[in-house]
């Protein structure tokens, strides 16, 4: 109802269950999937993992509440482009869909910090070690860009902070994704966080 009323966004399909998502995506070829975590049969987390493992998948925004934090982080690691809280105002949901469609993830530093603060530290040392090793593959400049991405900075903000053009920032992010075999900047941000570089 919210999205259908927007002149700039078209609802091409709906699925009432996670098990219907793959077929709906095949039939409708959406640019962005707005995924509820809590669905019967197959939850939105498993559906996100399945979608993002496919070649040329659509972007995924996960809808959640803070009592499902650990699921959100797993969805982001699986390649979701971000998350929205269920009580997000309709206008913000529309902006989020438009931003993700344009290739910009929804990674609010405030919400992300609150999310991470709610998570268990189980496996944190192992994640930190893996992230540190991965980031060693980057040049010093790429590493600076990765840390800025981890702090939730936009391309324009990174360009201003690091005294480079927006095009150069985009080129660095492209190289980071290729070197680290990641599929979006949300995963870069999580890696920088895991390495303890975003504090």
């Amino acid at each position: 109802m919210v999205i259908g009323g927007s002149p700039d966004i078209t609802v091409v399909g709906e699925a009432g269950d996670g098990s219907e998502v793959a077929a709906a995506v095949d039939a409708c070829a959406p640019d962005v999937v707005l995924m509820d975590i809590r669905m019967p049969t197959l939850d939105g987390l498993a559906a996100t993992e399945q979608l993002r493992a496919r070649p040329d998948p659509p972007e995924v925004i996960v809808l959640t509440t803070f009592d499902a934090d650990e699921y959100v982080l797993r969805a982001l690691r699986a390649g979701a482009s971000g998350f929205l809280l269920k009580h997000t105002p309709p206008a913000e949901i529309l902006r989020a869909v438009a931003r993700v469609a344009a290739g910009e993830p929804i990674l609010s530093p405030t919400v992300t910090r609150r999310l991470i603060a709610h998570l268990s530290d189980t496996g944190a040392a192992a994640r930190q070690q893996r992230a540190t090793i991965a980031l060693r593959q980057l040049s010093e400049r790429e590493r600076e860009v990765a840390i800025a991405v981890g702090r939730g900075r936009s391309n324009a903000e990174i360009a201003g902070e690091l005294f480079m053009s927006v095009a150069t920032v985009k080129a660095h992010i492209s190289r980071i994704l290729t070197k680290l075999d990641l599929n979006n900047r949300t995963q870069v941000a999580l890696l920088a966080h895991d390495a303890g570089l975003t504090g």
Side-chain angles (χ1 to χ4, degrees):
M1 209 166 67
V2 169
I3 295 174
S6 166
D8 304 316
I9 300 173
T10 304
V11 177
V12 294
E14 293 181 53
D17 184 286
S19 61
E20 300 168 7
V21 170
V25 166
D26 287 339
C28 305
D31 297 310
V32 178
V33 173
L34 198 56
M35 185 85 74
D36 191 348
I37 280 186
R38 299 187 178 185
M39 291 188 285
T41 313
L42 186 73
D43 67 23
L45 176 59
T48 297
E49 289 171 334
Q50 287 181 4
L51 270 190
R52 295 301 301 175
R54 295 157 54 128
D56 197 25
E59 300 296 339
V60 177
I61 300 174
V62 173
L63 281 171
T64 188
T65 56
F66 269 118
D67 58 0
D69 294 345
E70 67 278 10
Y71 299 119
V72 178
L73 196 64
R74 195 170 141 204
L76 293 176
R77 290 187 195 286
S81 294
F83 58 89
L84 291 172
L85 300 182
K86 287 190 177 178
H87 55 71
T88 300
E92 282 184 39
I93 293 176
L94 294 176
R95 275 198 299 275
V97 171
R99 278 177 56 190
V100 165
E104 188 181 341
I106 308 306
L107 194 64
S108 154
T110 307
V111 175
T112 302
R113 275 196 300 272
R114 187 173 158 195
L115 169 69
I116 289 166
H118 278 66
L119 294 171
S120 157
D121 284 332
T122 308
R127 283 200 308 272
Q128 181 171 16
Q129 185 177 15
R130 280 195 302 272
T132 302
I133 290 167
L135 291 171
R136 282 185 194 140
Q137 299 173 56
L138 304 180
S139 70
E140 188 176 341
R141 208 60 167 149
E142 289 163 353
R143 187 179 160 93
E144 288 174 343
V145 170
I147 292 167
V149 168
R151 290 177 175 150
R153 305 289 195 266
S154 68
N155 287 348
E157 288 168 337
I158 296 170
E161 285 178 12
L162 299 181
F163 306 103
M164 57 176 76
S165 70
V166 171
T168 303
V169 173
K170 288 180 180 175
H172 279 311
I173 291 171
S174 251
R175 282 197 295 276
I176 291 165
L177 294 175
T178 302
K179 280 186 179 181
L180 302 183
D181 195 25
L182 301 174
N183 63 27
N184 62 38
R185 63 192 284 153
T186 305
Q187 291 178 321
V188 175
L190 288 168
L191 202 64
H193 170 264
D194 284 348
L197 299 174
T198 56

